Amino acid sequence: MKKLVLTGAAGRLGGVLREPLAKMADQLVTTDIQDTVGSELLPNETYIKADLSMYDEIAKVIEGADMVVHFGAIGDEAPFNAILQANIIGAYNVWEAAYQNGVKRVVYASSVHAVGMHHKNDGIGLDAPHRPDTYYGLAKCFAEDLGSLYWDKRGVESVHMRIFSCANVTNARALGTWLSYDDLIHMTQRAIDTPSVGFTIVYGLSNNDRAMVDNSKAAFLGYKPKDNAEQFAEQILASEPTADPQDKAQQCLGGPFATVELGNSGVAHLNLDETK
């Protein structure tokens, strides 16, 4: 590719992706609402500050791009108006700018929270109906449906990566939901270089023994995760309290997001270790 765009580049996962994505294009254009990307730019990287909720700013960034990897958003539950601006209007602006500029494909950081109220023992596949657990999850549903619409009506391909827990394993839930950084990179690369994807959803999980969903319908992407959270199981389970089968935070795919009040942080209840 000549030009690849990465939104949300100043975030943790955007930071993980910058270097590998730079190797896939002549020019990597990164963007975020922050003043800088937070570290030294790569030799073929250009950073442009832009607000996702402002169409003209995003359209300028996307002009001339071959593909867009869209990770920019509020990454937690928040009051609806904040989610509306960054995550819903922001997604529309990315897809509309992609269409107007002839972009082939949008690769999107969706989330388990689009289906977070499904129970983990249901073993759902990629065709399960949306069942969001928060305004944050609702915005992911919107972006997935937006991607479907723009494929059906305007021919813009998209891959929606429903990321689960892309952080170090610190609790029993993560034994089934972990996505390692290496597997995140691999999944994103396959979402970019698979020749034809149409509209596709894929669960963002590593090769965990305790995985709670069925990813088989996305096999054509060639995503073959290598890491497995079972290596952490003995240590984690020895320190975890007995699970409460009546607790929706333990029953549902969305974990604590399934029980927080709308508009309140779910990440605050996850005990995340986000070090790389």
Side-chain angles (χ1 to χ4, degrees), residues 244-268:
D244 178 1
Q246 303 302 317
D247 181 6
K248 284 188 176 181
Q250 299 186 51
Q251 288 181 344
C252 296
L253 290 176
F257 278 64
T259 57
V260 296
E261 288 293 326
L262 291 174
N264 293 342
S265 173
V267 170

Side-chain angles (χ1 to χ4, degrees), residues 174-179 205-211 225 227-230:
L175 296 175
T177 62
W178 185 47
L179 174 65
L205 290 169
S206 286
N207 188 32
N208 304 320
D209 288 354
R210 302 171 195 245
D227 293 318
N228 189 335
E230 200 62 22

Side-chain angles (χ1 to χ4, degrees), residues 142-273:
F142 171 82
E144 290 185 3
D145 287 345
L146 184 71
S148 176
L149 177 67
Y150 269 62
W151 166 243
D152 288 339
K153 299 296 287 285
R154 291 182 161 177
V156 179
E157 290 190 317
S158 56
V159 178
H160 301 254
M161 305 184 299
R162 284 183 180 165
I163 295 170
F164 279 64
S165 304
C166 197
N168 294 327
V169 177
T170 59
N171 55 66
R173 174 176 176 267
L175 296 175
T177 62
W178 185 47
L179 174 65
S180 71
Y181 293 129
D182 285 346
D183 285 336
L184 168 68
I185 292 167
H186 171 53
M187 179 174 59
T188 306
Q189 290 170 332
R190 294 294 79 81
I192 291 170
D193 66 16
T194 298
S196 177
V197 299
F199 165 75
T200 295
I201 295 170
V202 57
Y203 287 120
L205 290 169
S206 286
N207 188 32
N208 304 320
D209 288 354
R210 302 171 195 245
M212 307 166 187
V213 293
D214 179 7
N215 227 1
S216 59
K217 288 189 176 180
F220 74 94
L221 289 175
Y223 171 53
K224 296 181 179 180
K226 296 180 173 61
D227 293 318
N228 189 335
E230 200 62 22
Q231 63 186 293
F232 310 109
E234 183 176 358
Q235 177 182 353
I236 293 293
L237 294 177
S239 59
E240 282 276 311
T242 302
D244 178 1
Q246 303 302 317
D247 181 6
K248 284 188 176 181
Q250 299 186 51
Q251 288 181 344
C252 296
L253 290 176
F257 278 64
T259 57
V260 296
E261 288 293 326
L262 291 174
N264 293 342
S265 173
V267 170
H269 300 273
L270 287 175
N271 186 32
L272 286 183
D273 176 1

Side-chain angles (χ1 to χ4, degrees), residues 61 82 93 202 233:
V61 173
N93 287 341
V202 57

